[in-house]
Amino acid sequence: HPRAPGDSSITLHIRGLPRVNMMKTTPTGSNASILRSLQMKAAVRKTMVMFVVCLVFGIINWVALGLPLLPTISDTWTKPPASYISRYVVGASSILFQVANFVIYRANQDVGKYAKASWVNKLSLVLSVVSVFALSWIGAVCDSKSSTCRGDNNVHMMFAYTFFIGYNMYMVIESVRAHKQMSCCAKVITTVCVLATVALKLRVVPSDLDFSNGLLMETNQSIAAGLGNSFVAIFEWIDVLVVVVWTGTYAIHRGQGWSLATVQLDSGATKATRIVAADGTRVLNRVTAFTFATVVALVMTVLLISTFVVEVFITKAVPLPAVFGGNASWPLESALWVSAPGNWLARWALVFSAVFLLSYNSLAVITMRRQLSACLCCLTQFFGSMGALGVALSGCVDEYEESSEHALFMCIGFAGLNIFAVALSIARAKQKKHSAMFIAIVVTIVLASCRSLLSSEDTDDDADVTSNALYAILQWLNTFVLLIFITFFTYSKFSEFQNLAMAITYKDPSASNIRITRGGKKSITVSSAPVVTYAASNKDFDESNAEKDVVVTARLVKVEI
């Protein structure tokens, strides 16, 4: 507490030290602001819950269909609607897994003998990246060629083995290197999980070169004969749950103090060697809107071109358009995402792009807060988020599986993103910044949206065939205009986007335990208020500190009598 109004000094009693007069010194020295934040341990918990719910829903759906009990997890993902949910959940959760693994990599750079990005730390990161990337494809490529799945067992199992083997190696390395830093409970859980998951891999160890049966399967032939595929399913379910428990325990333990946040940097802070927020939070690895926009535009462009080439010229699942010498009209985008492997690419790429679109939308709206009211900002972000969700779901449910649902998701995706793009383009044009380009984008989006007045159904009537061709062309035009908008809007606000990013942040958890008392009766508790720094004005500390100026950093919030 200041002694008098305007007095910058404060009298405090620091626990363990005598009373001392403190004088307010320099400002906090912060060069960034945390706009919103999600603690890593909370993100991991939510991801684990989402993944487990997906597993439980799959088995419930399997039982509801009257199919045999104890299927493998892959089996439960071949029947709708569990197959649709698994494609989204596995794809989206893989990105969060990857972020958590990178946080662990950063945390390990300053801990133990394997610190400072040693080869062990780098190997651990590579294993996690490769294995989680394989996991993201497990949901996209199911293990059956049935009409409800249209996947491939060999491709599915290749990704599954890559994930399990790579991630188990990652589990072993991380459990060994962080053993001394973990609590007793965490040590027990991670050690048991590692031993269990390694032992469970015996189910795929070949015996007598017979790759159809694992060692445990042959050793227990009588049991296997009675249970059939359920025997393998039991071990698979246990193995996956063990991996989930280990990941949750270890990531939450290592993620203490780490968060995923939206940060606003001060002018010139991008070149600073140390970026810190007002509450002492360090801003580390940043991903700007440029990255999000570039990745979305690149992934979507590659998806459209690659599926067109594969489905039209290689597999010939889609008739050759007249422009290339064929007899068919230009295909709809959805037609390229029905047959394998085009459907695998769409299931993966659309979910991946949607997650990045959500992040980009939130950053783009922040840059327009001065031009749009709070209500319009919220509505714009809402429509952008709905559009991103529609994009993801249109990849999870193709038009062959559920044509009406797929058409609905496509409509939501285009409508949401079109409104988002038009709102920001008009606001930008009013600023007289690249007005001609943004007006052209608005006009093109409006014209492309008029395709809803045309028929998109296949008929033999010549007029309808022309209408279908025009509908498909306008759909493709709408897609590429949206990608151009994202790229150009980001470029037009270069200076603002340069200081705005999604970032991994770190705040020392021990700082939250600071407690300052005054006279033994009043206490000042810690929260997220601005940091105030005080320096000692006298030197009546103990002998070890007698020759040093003591600096105390505290967040002064409230006084309890």
Side-chain angles (χ1 to χ4, degrees):
H1 258 10
R3 297 173 178 173
D7 188 356
S8 61
S9 65
I10 188 170
T11 301
L12 295 176
H13 177 75
I14 310 301
R15 183 172 299 176
L17 297 176
R19 178 176 297 184
V20 60
N21 294 326
M22 311 293 285
M23 181 66 66
K24 187 174 182 180
T25 57
T26 59
T28 62
S30 65
N31 52 4
S33 301
I34 306 296
L35 303 182
R36 61 175 69 95
S37 177
L38 176 64
Q39 289 187 351
M40 191 54 59
K41 59 181 181 181
V44 171
R45 289 194 187 103
K46 293 177 180 179
T47 304
M48 295 295 101
V49 170
M50 182 171 63
F51 199 82
V52 171
V53 168
C54 176
L55 297 177
V56 173
F57 182 81
I59 193 67
I60 292 175
N61 181 68
W62 184 269
V63 174
L65 294 174
L67 298 170
L69 290 176
L70 288 176
T72 63
I73 295 176
S74 299
D75 288 338
T76 65
W77 291 349
T78 62
K79 306 295 182 183
S83 57
Y84 310 151
I85 295 175
S86 67
R87 294 165 191 170
Y88 178 82
V89 171
V90 175
S93 60
S94 295
I95 296 177
L96 296 176
F97 275 138
Q98 202 66 270
V99 173
N101 290 335
F102 186 78
V103 166
I104 292 173
Y105 166 77
R106 284 305 309 264
N108 288 338
Q109 287 184 320
D110 300 317
V111 177
K113 64 180 181 180
Y114 299 119
K116 305 303 178 184
S118 68
W119 68 270
V120 177
N121 200 21
K122 292 178 180 178
L123 174 62
S124 182
L125 179 64
V126 170
L127 287 173
S128 67
V129 169
V130 173
S131 58
V132 175
F133 178 77
L135 173 65
S136 68
W137 282 94
I138 293 176
V141 185
C142 47
D143 71 343
S144 172
K145 293 184 179 181
S146 64
S147 59
T148 60
C149 177
R150 296 189 314 287
D152 186 277
N153 183 65
N154 293 328
V155 177
H156 178 85
M157 294 307 295
M158 178 188 70
F159 286 124
Y161 285 145
T162 301
F163 166 70
F164 277 114
I165 294 173
Y167 203 77
N168 287 162
M169 294 173 64
Y170 172 73
M171 290 169 60
V172 171
I173 293 174
E174 290 300 320
S175 297
V176 171
R177 67 184 302 177
H179 187 74
K180 293 182 179 180
Q181 284 78 37
M182 291 189 289
S183 64
C184 181
C185 181
K187 288 180 182 178
V188 173
I189 294 175
T190 54
T191 301
V192 171
C193 287
V194 167
L195 294 177
T197 192
V198 172
L200 288 168
K201 293 303 171 290
L202 293 175
R203 73 181 188 275
V204 296
V205 175
S207 178
D208 295 331
L209 300 179
D210 181 5
F211 287 87
S212 63
N213 293 306
L215 180 59
L216 287 178
M217 284 289 290
E218 184 156 323
T219 305
N220 300 274
Q221 288 182 359
S222 59
I223 300 177
L227 295 178
N229 193 50
S230 296
F231 187 84
V232 178
I234 292 173
F235 286 92
E236 183 185 67
W237 280 91
I238 295 175
D239 197 0
V240 170
L241 292 178
V242 165
V243 170
V244 169
V245 171
W246 182 92
T247 301
T249 303
Y250 187 75
I252 290 174
H253 171 78
R254 301 294 287 138
Q256 294 290 334
W258 295 84
S259 300
L260 185 63
T262 302
V263 299
Q264 178 76 60
L265 307 185
D266 295 346
S267 179
T270 54
K271 298 180 180 180
T273 56
R274 180 182 176 88
I275 301 176
V276 61
D279 64 349
T281 301
R282 292 177 58 195
V283 179
L284 302 173
N285 299 83
R286 307 187 307 276
V287 180
T288 65
F290 295 103
T291 302
F292 290 122
T294 302
V295 170
V296 170
L298 182 62
V299 170
M300 288 301 299
T301 302
V302 170
L303 171 66
L304 291 171
I305 295 176
S306 62
T307 53
F308 183 88
V309 172
V310 170
E311 298 299 317
V312 173
F313 296 103
I314 299 178
T315 65
K316 298 182 180 180
V318 176
L320 187 68
V323 68
F324 293 105
N327 299 319
S329 60
W330 192 264
L332 292 168
E333 294 172 351
S334 302
L336 306 175
W337 305 336
V338 173
S339 302
N343 59 343
W344 307 344
L345 297 173
R347 293 168 185 174
W348 184 89
L350 292 177
V351 173
F352 180 85
S353 298
V355 175
F356 274 59
L357 269 175
L358 285 171
S359 301
Y360 176 83
N361 292 347
S362 64
L363 297 179
V365 171
I366 290 174
T367 65
M368 300 300 294
R369 286 180 176 177
R370 294 181 180 179
Q371 290 76 42
L372 299 175
S373 65
C375 181
L376 286 178
C377 282
C378 290
L379 286 174
T380 302
Q381 186 166 354
F382 169 77
F383 283 113
S385 300
M386 289 300 296
L389 181 62
V391 169
L393 295 179
S394 63
C396 298
V397 185
D398 64 53
E399 66 175 5
Y400 176 83
E401 294 170 327
E402 295 288 347
S403 59
S404 58
E405 283 81 354
H406 177 79
L408 174 63
F409 295 143
M410 289 287 285
C411 180
I412 292 174
F414 275 113
L417 294 177
N418 283 343
I419 294 174
F420 174 81
V422 168
L424 294 186
S425 295
I426 293 176
R428 192 63 174 152
K430 287 183 176 180
Q431 294 180 282
K432 298 182 179 180
K433 301 289 186 179
H434 309 283
S435 301
M437 183 64 178
F438 284 111
I439 292 174
I441 289 175
V442 171
V443 172
T444 306
I445 289 177
V446 172
L447 290 176
S449 300
C450 292
R451 68 181 182 278
S452 58
L453 303 176
L454 303 174
S455 171
S456 62
E457 300 295 329
D458 293 331
T459 64
D460 295 329
D461 187 84
D462 290 341
D464 286 336
V465 169
T466 303
S467 176
N468 293 341
L470 181 59
Y471 183 96
I473 292 172
L474 289 176
Q475 185 189 64
W476 281 71
L477 176 63
N478 198 165
T479 300
F480 281 107
V481 168
L482 286 174
L483 297 179
I484 291 172
F485 161 76
I486 292 174
T487 305
F488 189 76
F489 182 81
T490 307
Y491 164 77
S492 70
K493 299 181 74 66
F494 177 84
S495 59
E496 294 176 70
F497 276 124
Q498 191 177 24
N499 296 322
L500 187 64
M502 299 288 289
I504 293 175
T505 63
Y506 177 73
K507 181 180 179 182
D508 187 356
S510 62
S512 299
N513 298 324
I514 297 175
R515 188 174 182 84
I516 300 176
T517 62
R518 181 172 184 249
K521 295 181 179 180
K522 297 181 179 180
S523 64
I524 300 174
T525 57
V526 175
S527 85
S528 58
V531 176
V532 184
T533 304
Y534 293 87
S537 59
N538 60 348
K539 300 180 180 179
D540 54 354
F541 293 91
D542 58 22
E543 183 178 356
S544 60
N545 290 323
E547 301 301 327
K548 297 180 180 179
D549 289 332
V550 177
V551 176
V552 177
T553 300
R555 284 160 291 166
L556 309 182
V557 184
K558 69 177 182 178
V559 175
E560 297 175 351
I561 305 300

